[in-house]
Amino acid sequence: MKKKTKAWPVAAIDLGSNSFHLVRADVIDGQLHTRHRSKVRVQLAQGLDSTLCLSDQSIQRGLAALDRFQEHIRDLSPAQLRVVGTHTLRQARNVEAFLEPAQALLGCSIEVISGPEEGRLTYQGVALSQPVAERTLLVDIGGGSTELVMGHGHRIKDVTSRSMGCVVFHQRYFNDHPGPTPALFAQARSEARRLVQGVRSRFEGAEVALGSSGSIKAIMQAVLALSDHSVITRSGLEILEDELCALSPSDFMAQSGVSSDRYPVLAAGVAILQGVFEGLELVQMEAAQGALREGLLCSFLPDSSVSNARQAGISEWQRRLHIDAKQAERVARDAKRFAQILGVEEGGLLERLAEACALHESGQSINYSDYHQHGRYLIEQSDLPGFHRRDQVFVAQMVGLQRKKLPCIEHLSSPEQRALLALRLAILANVTRREDEGFTLASAGQEWQIRTRDHWRLADIDKEAKRWKPYGIGLKTSLVS
């Protein structure tokens, strides 16, 4: 029996310009398992006066927030805790007036990190929490600054920090007015666009644009509530601008679901993101999982765990649920081969298919009967490291559809249907749970020809053919010697 690995508790605190964040996790077998999250809205940036000194009131708000965090970290040593300050603490001339009592309260040192380092850590946190494309642009709108990061997969190619944040822009453009107006939006948007255009050549050409921060999550929430868009777009941002200008704060919050804590700086966040979209000519953006605090936690992991968090999570899942890894590999090998024959070419879909193969027997840990449905529930409801929520739900769906009757799948695209067919055929091909060359697939005009040398397979293959016929996929079988 494998010896149970002891959990090593760690924590990270992000002293942001708008909010302070705490996340506590356990490191187990090179992976992070989140145990607690806390957030306190401090608005430290509002406490900076014209001489760039923090007010006593803002310092006390910050210390009060850290005092609240104490109950969650008092058992940790300095080696298990990492605390960083960002834009406002970089700017403050009297920063020691906050740092000295804060460090005494926490019992550890506080790092005031640079803007580029903040961007790099945030990208690491996102890459730990979800898949990232070969060319990924990350935009992180903070309270005092906005970081732009261009990554190639898990590698960071370029990073910059721009002096535009939702708290700072709120004070500069919106604070002295009864409410946002198109003219105020135009001023803030123009300045954000100017700050971004100077670095445009370094951050254009991304395959995927992701946004990380409370502002972008609130914008995404409002876009979903007030428009028919499923991602952030220029037109979606224009809708938010119009609604922010037209509606009272209470009506906007009621209709959008944006919290009263976030609403005061939302207009500034929207204007900044509009400037980023215009300056970099972006088409759309999705809200990212992970943030600076997850990036801080990466420092407690081996390097390989950061870059391979998703695969490590799958391997740990297989070990914990006693999944037959050799069988999963056989199914994955054949599913990939069948998918290519069926014309499935999109790389991301092939990756999801491989993950479904790796996890397809998850439900057997509960009961063999209907294990596909048990597996779907387990995968959908669990916290799988490195998985984007959308991908995790899709993999769970594939696992739930791997065998037996085929319910309505018209919501799946044609390539997704063929990927599912590849999974189901690969499972049929490997029912003996050993290396077996007696099952092949080939194109036969408008249909697909399955050849087998085993009489006992014919009944199952015929059933499968009948299940796919309503979806315009023809399967025929032949027995070969």
Side-chain angles (χ1 to χ4, degrees):
M1 181 180 293
K2 183 173 180 178
K3 186 178 179 181
K4 186 176 181 181
T5 304
K6 184 178 179 180
W8 184 45
V10 295
I13 298 176
D14 163 17
L15 307 177
S17 298
N18 188 47
S19 300
F20 287 6
H21 296 265
L22 162 72
V23 59
R24 177 169 174 148
D26 286 339
V27 178
I28 305 174
D29 290 332
Q31 294 181 60
L32 288 167
H33 298 264
T34 302
R35 301 306 186 203
H36 176 78
R37 294 180 185 275
S38 292
K39 170 187 171 183
V40 180
R41 184 168 172 260
V42 176
Q43 290 197 304
L44 207 60
Q46 284 192 354
L48 277 179
D49 63 21
S50 58
T51 66
L52 295 181
C53 284
L54 285 169
S55 67
D56 290 340
Q57 293 88 344
S58 65
I59 290 174
Q60 291 307 312
R61 288 199 303 271
L63 294 176
L66 296 182
D67 190 51
R68 288 174 59 180
F69 289 168
Q70 267 288 85
E71 64 183 282
H72 302 291
I73 60 172
R74 64 176 72 253
D75 62 317
L76 302 183
S77 70
Q80 296 166 282
L81 183 62
R82 190 170 181 197
V83 187
V84 301
T86 58
H87 182 267
T88 297
L89 295 181
R90 290 195 292 269
Q91 297 287 102
R93 293 172 55 195
N94 64 335
V95 64
E96 293 300 326
F98 171 77
L99 290 182
E100 288 182 6
Q103 290 174 148
L105 181 63
L106 295 174
C108 70
S109 63
I110 296 175
E111 308 165 58
V112 179
I113 57 176
S114 68
E117 179 63 8
E118 182 180 352
R120 281 190 288 270
L121 286 167
T122 301
Y123 189 89
Q124 285 183 355
V126 170
L128 177 74
S129 304
Q130 70 178 82
V132 285
E134 264 309 292
R135 289 184 60 80
T136 296
L137 171 68
L138 178 68
V139 179
D140 180 36
I141 300 176
S145 63
T146 293
E147 280 65 50
L148 306 176
V149 187
M150 179 64 81
H152 286 200
H154 287 267
R155 302 187 314 279
I156 295 170
K157 187 74 172 178
D158 203 352
V159 59
T160 189
S161 182
R162 306 281 93 184
S163 296
M164 52 184 192
C166 61
V167 176
V168 171
F169 265 42
H170 169 73
Q171 290 181 297
R172 186 183 303 172
Y173 296 105
F174 297 97
N175 193 44
D176 296 328
H177 301 272
T181 66
L184 296 175
F185 265 104
Q187 292 176 39
R189 180 170 61 247
S190 176
E191 175 63 5
R193 182 175 62 246
R194 183 188 70 79
L195 289 169
V196 168
Q197 282 179 327
V199 294
R200 175 180 168 181
S201 62
R202 294 160 53 189
F203 296 93
E204 58 187 1
E207 297 174 17
V208 175
L210 299 174
S212 171
S213 67
S215 287
I216 288 179
K217 288 179 180 178
I219 289 170
M220 185 74 254
Q221 179 182 5
V223 165
L224 291 173
L226 299 175
S227 75
D228 58 357
H229 297 272
S230 58
V231 295
I232 300 172
T233 62
R234 290 197 198 188
S235 59
L237 292 171
E238 289 171 1
I239 290 171
L240 293 196
E241 176 185 337
D242 292 342
E243 296 298 327
L244 282 164
C245 292
L247 297 175
S248 67
S250 59
D251 286 343
F252 184 90
M253 287 186 285
Q255 293 182 31
S256 68
V258 171
S259 70
S260 58
D261 280 351
R262 178 57 56 179
Y263 176 83
V265 296
L266 184 66
V270 170
I272 291 170
L273 196 54
Q274 286 178 318
V276 171
F277 264 68
E278 293 177 8
L280 299 181
E281 296 187 352
L282 300 181
V283 176
Q284 66 179 44
M285 175 180 289
E286 296 183 40
Q289 299 177 29
L292 172 59
R293 44 209 172 272
E294 284 77 21
L296 293 172
L297 291 177
C298 288
S299 63
F300 298 109
L301 296 176
D303 290 341
S304 60
S305 296
V306 177
S307 61
N308 298 307
R310 196 166 183 150
Q311 187 54 52
I314 289 174
S315 297
E316 170 61 17
W317 181 275
Q318 289 179 330
R319 186 194 67 78
R320 187 151 48 94
L321 296 184
H322 307 290
I323 294 172
D324 184 344
K326 291 294 185 183
Q327 173 70 356
E329 290 174 6
R330 286 189 289 267
V331 171
R333 177 200 60 203
D334 287 344
K336 180 180 180 181
R337 179 163 54 89
F338 294 160
Q340 291 171 338
I341 293 170
L342 291 165
V344 179
E345 299 176 347
E346 200 271 308
L349 182 54
L350 290 171
E351 289 177 5
R352 301 297 82 73
L353 173 60
E355 290 154 0
C357 293
L359 302 175
H360 79 279
E361 292 188 332
S362 298
Q364 292 184 11
S365 63
I366 297 177
N367 195 313
Y368 186 84
S369 177
D370 291 331
Y371 73 80
H372 53 302
Q373 296 298 346
H374 300 319
R376 176 175 183 165
Y377 177 81
L378 285 172
I379 296 166
E380 201 168 65
Q381 300 300 319
S382 297
D383 182 15
L384 291 177
F387 273 82
H388 190 290
R389 179 61 186 166
R390 178 184 56 203
D391 293 342
Q392 186 171 330
V393 170
F394 180 73
V395 170
Q397 186 177 35
M398 292 275 281
V399 168
L401 293 170
Q402 67 178 281
R403 62 195 284 264
K404 293 192 174 182
K405 294 181 180 179
L406 198 61
C408 179
I409 57 168
E410 291 178 349
H411 63 287
L412 297 179
S413 67
S414 177
E416 289 171 346
Q417 289 182 7
R418 283 180 273 128
L420 175 61
L421 173 58
L423 172 64
R424 291 172 67 101
L425 291 179
I427 292 170
L428 283 176
N430 288 278
V431 70
T432 62
R433 306 185 78 85
R434 63 175 182 268
E435 296 296 333
D436 192 342
E437 302 295 330
F439 192 108
T440 62
L441 177 71
S443 174
Q446 300 298 312
E447 295 182 311
W448 306 99
Q449 177 80 49
I450 299 172
R451 295 186 178 92
T452 179
R453 64 187 179 206
D454 302 310
H455 285 274
W456 55 268
R457 294 184 189 268
L458 294 178
D460 288 336
I461 296 172
D462 287 341
K463 285 182 182 178
E464 192 67 11
K466 290 176 182 177
R467 290 165 181 155
W468 284 98
K469 189 174 181 180
Y471 302 102
I473 296 177
L475 298 173
K476 59 182 181 179
T477 60
S478 62
L479 197 63
V480 295
S481 58

